[in-house]
Amino acid sequence: MPELPEVQTTVNGLKKTIVGLKITDVWTDLAVKNPTRKDYYDTIKSSAFFTTFKKKVVGAKVISAERRAKNILINLSSGNTILIHLKMTGHLLFGLYEYDKNKNVWSPSAKEKNQALRDPYNRFVHVVFSFSNNPKSKDRASKHLAFCDTRKFGKVTLVDTKTAHETSHLQKIGPEPFDKNFTVKVLRERLLKRPMWNTKTALMNQEIVAGIGNIYSDELLWLAGIHPEQKVKTLKKKDFKKIFDSALSVLTKGIDFGGDSMSDYRNIHGERGEFQHTHNAYRKTGSKCSKRGCEGIITRKVIDGRSAHFCPLHQKLFKE
């Protein structure tokens, strides 16, 4: 699942491409009359919701884009915000697309020069936003924003911009790691809300802290030297500082490298991120630990239903 660095990379791309453009049309093949899950009724997976969604966004201009945890917020001139959660395999792609009526599919136009959009991982397009052309650009062709999602778990919905952060989609999310008010003290207080939880599990809970998932929790705990099964209540004061510093370091590195494309993630130009080439723990099972002076071997273990990768030598598990 795309985490904070991947979502931030996407938002950074949206800021450079779609801000100032007007939405002229929206298409999806996800909308059905009776969605199988109740939580789909307020997303475009409901045909009734999609009809309203389309009426409200077509004609509106994109004024900004931002991130909240793993959510993408596209703010419109109409006072509405398109909220997108990429879930397991989703990513957004910007370019010149064309629709095949016979196959009911969208794919990059023959005129699209960016070959990265033709990556096999970019072919599962299920939502397309059409835009007016950008008068400030030398390229006068109208472009599209395509939502590619192999497993169709992604969420696209619409909320009021003024109350977006008070909706059920965002209201329970914890503090942002890069917020100026996020400190070691805040992190400690948040984690101690779940004293009996394993540290990795607590870090991945979006109500505790925003944006951290499986990849970056493994990497930051490796850097901090903390065992993923270490109970939160047993962490010492210095451990919280190590986790805090490691989280900021690893997340910043993730953004600098354009996200992690070990799996499906691609940026809005269809390109792979590079963070996967810097892994020290995630999916490095059986590899010698890369920490200087450490002779440990990276181990994989399922913890609370999620895979954890760590070095049992320098990430020792200490009991009370």
Side-chain angles (χ1 to χ4, degrees):
M1 177 185 290
E3 302 177 34
L4 187 156
E6 291 73 51
V7 179
Q8 188 61 55
T9 298
T10 297
V11 168
N12 292 344
L14 293 176
K15 289 178 179 179
K16 296 177 181 178
T17 54
I18 68 170
V19 172
L21 301 185
K22 182 173 70 175
I23 299 173
T24 58
D25 198 9
V26 187
W27 170 94
T28 187
D29 64 355
L30 298 174
V32 297
K33 288 185 178 180
N34 297 300
T36 55
R37 291 173 44 170
K38 290 183 178 180
D39 58 336
Y40 287 168
Y41 278 89
D42 64 346
T43 75
I44 63 168
K45 291 180 179 178
S46 162
S47 57
F49 185 91
F50 179 65
T51 297
T52 301
F53 177 92
K54 187 172 181 177
K55 288 180 180 178
K56 289 186 176 182
V57 304
V58 170
K61 183 179 290 187
V62 177
I63 59 174
S64 64
E66 59 184 305
R67 179 190 59 77
R68 179 67 173 109
K70 301 176 185 180
N71 297 276
I72 296 166
L73 306 177
I74 300 174
N75 302 313
L76 307 178
S77 59
S78 60
N80 294 305
T81 292
I82 298 171
L83 186 150
I84 300 173
H85 195 301
L86 303 176
K87 296 294 182 179
M88 293 294 293
T89 59
H91 53 275
L92 293 170
L93 303 164
F94 182 75
L96 184 58
Y97 280 74
E98 58 187 8
Y99 178 62
D100 185 328
K101 292 183 179 180
N102 295 322
K103 296 181 180 180
N104 191 34
V105 297
W106 286 78
S107 56
S109 167
K111 297 179 181 179
E112 175 55 66
K113 298 179 181 179
N114 181 8
Q115 293 302 312
L117 292 176
R118 296 181 172 84
D119 181 318
Y121 278 97
N122 296 333
R123 70 184 187 275
F124 304 100
V125 174
H126 296 294
V127 186
V128 176
F129 294 89
S130 300
F131 293 98
S132 58
N133 59 25
N134 186 350
K136 297 181 181 180
S137 174
K138 294 180 180 179
D139 183 358
R140 303 294 293 177
S142 298
K143 295 295 183 71
H144 304 88
L145 182 67
F147 183 33
C148 175
D149 189 6
T150 308
R151 300 182 68 179
K152 300 182 182 181
F153 290 159
K155 176 173 66 177
V156 181
T157 188
L158 193 70
V159 294
D160 185 294
T161 303
K162 292 182 179 179
T163 59
H165 294 275
E166 300 168 18
T167 64
S168 59
H169 304 287
L170 303 176
Q171 65 177 349
K172 294 183 179 181
I173 296 176
E176 291 284 342
F178 291 118
D179 190 282
K180 63 180 181 180
N181 295 318
F182 188 68
T183 62
V184 177
K185 180 181 178 182
V186 171
L187 175 63
R188 182 173 181 272
E189 291 173 348
R190 301 299 297 180
L191 289 174
L192 285 173
K193 288 180 177 293
R194 299 291 186 272
M196 297 302 297
W197 283 19
N198 294 314
T199 299
K200 176 181 171 69
T201 304
L203 283 168
M204 292 195 299
N205 186 285
Q206 297 304 290
E207 294 185 16
I208 301 297
V209 61
I212 298 173
N214 219 26
I215 297 172
Y216 295 94
S217 60
D218 276 354
E219 291 299 308
L220 75 88
L221 287 173
W222 178 91
L223 184 60
I226 306 295
H227 195 286
E229 287 184 297
Q230 194 69 49
K231 299 299 181 184
V232 172
K233 70 173 186 177
T234 66
L235 293 172
K236 298 178 174 60
K237 189 174 182 179
K238 64 179 182 179
D239 294 330
F240 290 104
K241 180 65 165 60
K242 289 179 181 179
I243 293 172
F244 178 84
D245 290 341
S246 297
L248 295 187
S249 175
V250 168
L251 292 172
T252 297
K253 186 176 180 181
I255 296 172
D256 289 344
F257 277 82
D260 191 296
S261 292
M262 176 68 80
S263 185
D264 302 67
Y265 177 73
R266 302 292 185 272
N267 65 22
I268 66 165
H269 302 297
E271 302 162 339
R272 297 169 64 93
E274 300 294 333
F275 185 74
Q276 67 273 12
H277 300 308
T278 73
H279 288 177
N280 290 301
Y282 184 71
R283 292 194 181 182
K284 299 286 285 185
T285 307
S287 299
K288 182 181 180 299
C289 180
S290 57
K291 180 179 174 61
R292 182 177 296 181
C294 183
E295 296 297 325
I297 301 297
I298 300 300
T299 299
R300 175 185 178 274
K301 183 176 183 180
V302 176
I303 300 174
D304 296 327
R306 302 297 299 274
S307 294
H309 306 80
F310 59 97
C311 171
L313 191 58
H314 87 269
Q315 291 176 260
K316 292 181 180 179
L317 179 62
F318 295 98
K319 297 182 179 181
E320 292 183 81

